[in-house]
Amino acid sequence: MDFTLKKYKSLLMALQQAHYKFITFEEFCKGRREDKFIILRHDVDEMAMNAVKMAKIENLLGIKATYNFRIVKQSNKPEIIQQIVALGHEIGYHYEDLAFANGDYEKAMETFRKNLAYFRQSFYPVKTVCMHGSSTSKYDNRDLWKRYSLADEQLLGEPYLSIDFDKIYYISNTDYYWDGFKTAVRDIVLSSFSNTYHCTNEVITAIKKDEFPPQAMILAHTLWTNNWFLWSFIFLREKARIWVKNTAKNNTFAKKIYSLIVKFYWRY
Ligand SMILES: [Zn+2]
């Protein structure tokens, strides 16, 4: 079984044994670099409780990661965010304001500022943000920065705007695969790297053989679990979601139904 907490620990340990240093996204934005480094990023989209388990493993290994939280109730769980801060990790805002405001830039910026202030006042002096993909919306949340500036909000960076992915390798598990980007809509980057991996063991083998790029951002979702029941549920749900999403691509009725389900699920 892949994408278990046990496998996650093996991945982190393989990186440490290969002399990768873990730097946070905030540290990266402030200019920190190492010969071999990993920026470890987690977008907490849902099931926030599970994120704490990953945060604890990292803490035991002396690793700091960046956890991005959404404002929706599945992600925005105060007691969880507090625990993750206490474990020494960095917090970012996983924003989706432009999609929520249906493309109204002024309204989006108003809620963005309000939400950012909430995370800053309640938990952590947030210095970085990262867009949520909002795949069913026609609005790309990043476009907010075509009219406004990160610096004006006292922000240092947004991964999709602040990192040159031709220099820094980007790898993410959007579902239970590392090459699931084939089904992603927005959380994809243009890059000159051709390395792709399917399962975690392939990634670990590449690290051990010194074939893994020396500088990388790893985006790991927070659904890795040792609980067999939860693992199977997530796996099957993901398969169903991708099937519906692909069907919706060529069918306007299915597309409407799919976005309604998404809207209903993420209401806040
Ligand atoms: Zn997201």
Side-chain angles (χ1 to χ4, degrees), residues 41 43-45 70 94 131-134 187:
R41 178 184 132 207
D43 293 350
V44 185
D45 286 312
R70 300 170 69 186
H94 197 37
M131 65 118 193
H132 173 63
S134 302
D187 314 45

Side-chain angles (χ1 to χ4, degrees), residues 1-10 54 57 176 200 223-227 231:
M1 246 163 86
D2 201 353
F3 296 95
T4 58
L5 291 167
K6 215 176 133 195
K7 189 68 80 185
Y8 184 60
K9 196 174 174 188
S10 310
M54 297 174 83
I57 293 174
Y176 273 172
T200 309
L223 304 178
W224 299 58
T225 178
N226 286 340
N227 180 315
W231 193 97

Side-chain angles (χ1 to χ4, degrees), residues 74-88:
Q74 290 90 341
S75 174
N76 175 14
K77 303 254 188 240
E79 67 287 1
I80 303 281
I81 307 176
Q82 276 155 4
Q83 281 186 63
I84 290 179
V85 172
L87 288 163

